[in-house]
Amino acid sequence: SVGLSYGVHDILDVFREPVLQNVTFLQLLLRTVIWTVANVFFHVLGGLFLAILLNRPLAGKAIYRTLLTIPWAIPQVVAALAWKNEFHYQYGFVNTLLHKLGLPPVQWLSDPKWAFIAVIIVNIWLGIPFMMVVILGGLQSISPDYYDAAQIDGATGWQQFTSVTMPLLKPVLTPATILGVVWTFNNFNVIYLITRGGPMEGTDILVTSLYKAVFEFYRYGFGAAYSTVILILLLIFTWIYLRVTQEAEEVAEA
């Protein structure tokens, strides 16, 4: 019973005490949701766009496919450290490009707002190839007969996309999106290697703050309770997403 009381106390501390020095659980949760939604949205959108292009007749398709999968093939640690240098205020490629375009340089790694945007950009770049490969596999499994029938019925390209392509991609997109959400929600490497959660805890999300709470502030009991809360959040999301998807499919079939 003593251990149970300590466990309940630690879980309550997750919600009522700062996780690190300043940032609270609700702030981290909101930032993690923004991080996850922004990344997964552009992962799916960018992956879908590139997959549709690669699914069309295209000269040198194999070369383009190889080049587009390079961000996914590079070890994430190497990619994150390379991007960290590219966001350097004076010598980084990003600010050099902005200067060439006549725009002022940005404090990418010393301003919390821009640092958060920077890590989102990097993670989007890293995640699009995975979605592209998954969606391309789904597109190639769709029989051309569906499109031939739609054209005979006079369907436009957009109508074919919304009435044929997207419904038939759902069995592929649903698990890929769930995996993308879970991976992005728990993505530790990009943020920790580029900003270490800074500046001023401005880019920390739930998992990076969990790591720092345990291994930098040595709050082991708190960390165990914190990780349990994160697991429960992911289980709730997965259950809701599957229910909503299942209900949508039932409505479409009816």
Side-chain angles (χ1 to χ4, degrees):
S1 60
V2 174
L4 181 61
S5 65
Y6 276 121
V8 172
H9 181 76
D10 286 333
I11 289 177
L12 292 176
D13 284 345
V14 171
F15 301 98
R16 65 190 181 189
E17 290 187 2
V19 175
L20 299 173
Q21 292 177 318
N22 302 310
V23 69
T24 64
F25 175 82
L26 290 179
Q27 289 174 311
L28 288 166
L29 178 60
L30 176 61
R31 191 180 299 154
T32 305
V33 170
I34 295 171
W35 157 265
T36 304
V37 170
N39 275 288
V40 174
F41 174 79
F42 285 105
H43 287 168
V44 174
L45 187 66
L48 180 63
F49 175 74
L50 293 175
I52 289 174
L53 289 181
L54 291 175
N55 196 45
R56 295 173 179 270
L58 185 67
K61 184 188 298 186
I63 297 174
Y64 294 132
R65 187 183 302 167
T66 303
L67 291 174
L68 289 170
T69 54
I70 286 177
W72 187 31
I74 296 174
Q76 203 173 73
V77 173
V78 175
L81 292 176
W83 270 103
K84 181 178 181 179
N85 293 328
E86 301 306 333
F87 282 114
H88 190 277
Y89 180 75
Q90 287 182 290
Y91 309 112
F93 169 77
V94 178
N95 274 351
T96 302
L97 180 61
L98 291 177
H99 177 72
K100 295 290 185 182
L101 296 173
L103 299 172
V106 174
Q107 297 279 1
W108 289 106
L109 301 180
S110 56
D111 183 295
K113 178 186 69 176
W114 288 111
F116 190 55
I117 292 174
V119 292
I120 288 177
I121 291 172
V122 174
N123 203 59
I124 289 172
W125 181 80
L126 287 168
I128 285 178
F130 169 76
M131 283 294 179
M132 178 194 74
V133 171
V134 171
I135 295 172
L136 181 59
L139 288 174
Q140 291 177 343
S141 68
I142 299 174
S143 173
D145 294 340
Y146 292 108
Y147 296 102
D148 293 339
Q151 288 176 350
I152 292 173
D153 291 338
T156 63
W158 177 251
Q159 289 172 331
Q160 292 178 41
F161 175 76
T162 56
S163 301
V164 178
T165 304
M166 290 307 296
L168 294 176
L169 274 180
K170 276 185 180 180
V172 172
L173 274 178
T174 299
T177 303
I178 292 175
L179 283 174
V181 168
V182 173
W183 287 342
T184 305
F185 195 92
N186 290 316
N187 193 317
F188 172 84
N189 293 340
V190 172
I191 291 176
Y192 194 78
L193 291 171
I194 295 178
T195 65
R196 295 183 68 88
M200 298 179 290
E201 302 174 2
T203 57
D204 268 316
I205 58 174
L206 290 175
V207 290
T208 58
S209 62
L210 168 62
Y211 176 88
K212 291 162 73 173
V214 174
F215 294 103
E216 294 181 14
F217 292 87
Y218 307 107
R219 304 176 67 188
Y220 297 111
F222 175 86
Y226 194 13
S227 60
T228 302
V229 172
I230 293 174
L231 174 62
I232 292 172
L233 288 175
L234 287 172
L235 290 174
I236 291 172
F237 161 77
T238 304
W239 179 77
I240 293 174
Y241 187 86
L242 289 173
R243 283 293 301 272
V244 170
T245 305
Q246 183 179 2
E247 289 175 2
E249 289 177 354
E250 290 174 356
V251 170
E253 290 174 358

